[in-house]
Amino acid sequence: MKIHEFQAKQVLRDAGVTVPRGIVADTPQDVASAFHQLGGGVAVVKSQIHAGGRGKGMVKEVPEQRGVQVVRSAAEAEQAARNLLGHTLVTVQTGPQGQVVRRVLVEQGCHIARELYLGIVVDRNAKRPVLIASAEGGVEIEQVAAATPERIFREPFHPDVGLASYQARKLAKKLGLAGPTVRKAEQFMKALCRVFVARDCSLVEINPLVLTAEGDLLALDAKMTFDDNALFRHADLVGLRDLAEEQPAEIRAAEEGLSYVKLDGNIGCLVNGAGLAMATMDLIQLHGGRPANFLDVGGGANVHQVTEAFRILLDDQNVRAVLVNIFGGIMRCTTIAEAILAAYRSVGFRVPLVVRLEGTEVEAGRRMLAESGLDIMAADGLTDAARKVVAAAKSRP
């Protein structure tokens, strides 16, 4: 689950991480008022959407407007808000469709001496979280990692122990920090690692982490995502979810107990098991196709769930063909065949359907589909299924 920058900063503030003063507003008048409350001078009006690259993003309706604006008066703040609120911001992460800005964060300006980068993710090889740091803050960290990997520094830490003092001091030195700032960096890094573990995060990113002219460290930006499977432990975080920022189809799928992620291709994929889903998408790509989604119905799907899965797939107007790829282990192939036939009749297919079944009661399941009289293409193996669905999608206008 993702949250907004202003929400992430509140979570960090509660955990002892230093962040700038800021006020959230959803009207131009409230933005002007927030400017005064922050003491005037210089402030920053920041659009709040679940996407990065807002500073370089472009507002569709006001092309010269960017998603982050420095303002020096209440009038400027109010005008920046008018150019953002209710308008669509397009960034490198939103795609060309963009995302509507519904609120902004008005933040007190600061005297920036340097911009750094800090992030925490789970390192699957090390089997523990890793704190990532770079002196190249405020830019695309992915580009830095690709072009100059020697400028990326890493310190894995045990979740039960946290970041050790020597690790924090080592990173501070590599970032070029010295004097009293080293101690502040140690406190900042340790607090960040604590909140990552305590809140079951999958990502925490501070970009930029700024060193002010006064020698303080501030999280000028903040991105946090949480492990959905751990949210039962964090009722307060669940309340931060903004459904307006999520794909409606993904919300609908979650309500039905389905795992669905929308992609930009034209071949719908209905599978049981995340690993099988990944293999299915890889083979579709290998044979020249593009998956339109990741949809996992799990090992115990019933007729209702499969029917809803088909409705979700077919509501995507980009879908030109659908591949059902089921391995019946716990799930019987006859149950899946029954669900497919019921869904086919109730939903009404407008695109070709390719079905590959393997596993428990597979022969009976295949026979049910073959004798149904419905226009369903059977596949003999995963490669055959991928080839058939790619060809079917390409044959559609």
Side-chain angles (χ1 to χ4, degrees):
M1 183 186 80
K2 296 180 180 179
I3 59 175
H4 288 290
E5 174 195 357
F6 75 91
Q7 296 168 323
K9 284 181 172 176
Q10 185 58 55
V11 174
L12 293 175
R13 184 183 290 110
D14 293 343
V17 178
T18 51
V19 300
R21 287 182 61 207
I23 298 172
V24 182
D26 55 13
T27 69
Q29 294 78 17
D30 287 345
V31 169
S33 176
F35 180 87
H36 289 302
Q37 292 178 55
L38 293 172
V42 177
V44 183
V45 179
K46 310 176 78 174
S47 56
Q48 297 296 285
I49 61 171
H50 286 179
R54 292 168 295 156
K56 298 179 181 178
M58 180 186 71
V59 177
K60 274 187 178 181
E61 298 84 351
V62 193
E64 67 276 9
Q65 176 79 31
R66 296 295 176 257
V68 177
Q69 290 289 316
V70 177
V71 296
R72 292 174 173 80
S73 70
E76 282 187 24
E78 184 172 345
Q79 185 58 51
R82 292 188 188 281
N83 292 339
L84 288 171
L85 291 170
H87 293 158
T88 303
L89 182 64
V90 179
T91 78
V92 293
Q93 292 187 13
T94 64
Q97 74 279 2
Q99 186 70 33
V100 176
V101 179
R102 294 176 174 83
R103 60 181 65 83
V104 297
L105 173 63
V106 187
E107 210 160 60
Q108 189 176 44
C110 62
H111 300 97
I112 300 174
R114 291 182 60 198
E115 294 188 349
L116 312 171
Y117 173 91
L118 282 182
I120 307 176
V121 294
V122 175
D123 186 329
R124 296 182 183 276
N125 292 326
K127 297 182 176 63
R128 60 184 59 191
V130 58
L131 177 63
I132 304 169
S134 176
E136 305 293 325
V139 296
E140 300 291 343
I141 196 65
E142 296 85 0
Q143 296 178 9
V144 176
T148 54
E150 69 278 4
R151 297 181 182 178
I152 304 292
F153 312 112
R154 300 171 177 83
E155 285 293 334
F157 61 93
H158 195 286
D160 292 338
V161 178
L163 189 74
S165 294
Y166 81 89
Q167 292 178 294
R169 291 194 296 268
K170 182 165 65 171
L171 284 177
K173 182 178 180 180
K174 289 180 177 179
L175 293 176
L177 302 178
T181 306
V182 173
R183 178 59 179 164
K184 293 179 180 179
E186 179 183 342
Q187 294 173 340
F188 191 104
M189 293 176 187
K190 284 186 171 183
L192 200 65
C193 293
R194 284 195 300 270
V195 73
F196 181 89
V197 175
R199 290 302 203 162
D200 289 303
C201 297
S202 55
L203 168 72
V204 171
E205 187 176 59
I206 311 298
N207 188 29
L209 165 67
V210 299
L211 173 64
T212 69
E214 295 79 20
D216 295 321
L217 290 170
L218 289 174
L220 203 62
D221 195 5
K223 181 184 295 185
M224 298 183 77
T225 61
F226 305 94
D227 182 351
D228 291 344
N229 296 311
L231 287 176
F232 69 93
R233 290 197 285 257
H234 306 284
D236 58 328
L237 295 180
V238 175
L240 301 181
R241 186 179 182 188
D242 187 349
L243 296 180
E245 293 287 324
E246 299 181 22
Q247 283 281 349
E250 294 180 10
I251 298 170
R252 179 177 166 191
E255 291 173 348
E256 298 294 342
L258 308 171
S259 296
Y260 175 86
V261 178
K262 180 175 170 56
L263 303 174
D264 59 0
N266 60 7
I267 296 176
C269 306
L270 189 155
V271 302
N272 65 328
L276 186 60
M278 299 302 291
T280 301
M281 292 190 295
D282 285 347
L283 273 174
I284 288 174
Q285 292 270 16
L286 179 65
H287 292 286
R290 291 167 44 242
N293 67 277
F294 169 108
L295 199 161
D296 175 12
V297 298
N302 54 38
V303 172
H304 172 74
Q305 286 176 305
V306 174
T307 299
E308 287 305 305
F310 278 125
R311 291 188 193 280
I312 291 169
L313 290 179
L314 296 174
D315 280 347
D316 183 349
Q317 295 303 308
N318 292 325
V319 169
R320 295 292 180 267
V322 173
L323 170 58
V324 176
N325 184 22
I326 298 294
F327 180 81
I330 299 173
M331 172 71 69
R332 297 173 184 270
C333 289
T334 48
T335 302
I336 284 293
E338 178 187 355
I340 291 172
L341 295 177
Y344 196 109
R345 293 187 176 99
S346 64
V347 175
F349 269 59
R350 58 175 175 78
V351 298
L353 173 64
V354 178
V355 177
R356 178 255 186 176
L357 295 178
E358 293 291 350
T360 307
E361 297 184 355
V362 64
E363 294 302 330
R366 290 174 179 172
R367 189 164 54 251
M368 289 171 64
L369 296 179
E371 294 174 355
S372 69
L374 299 177
D375 188 13
I376 299 174
M377 288 184 279
D380 184 16
L382 185 48
T383 297
D384 183 48
R387 286 173 175 163
K388 283 182 176 177
V389 78
V390 170
K394 289 182 176 179
S395 69
R396 303 283 293 182

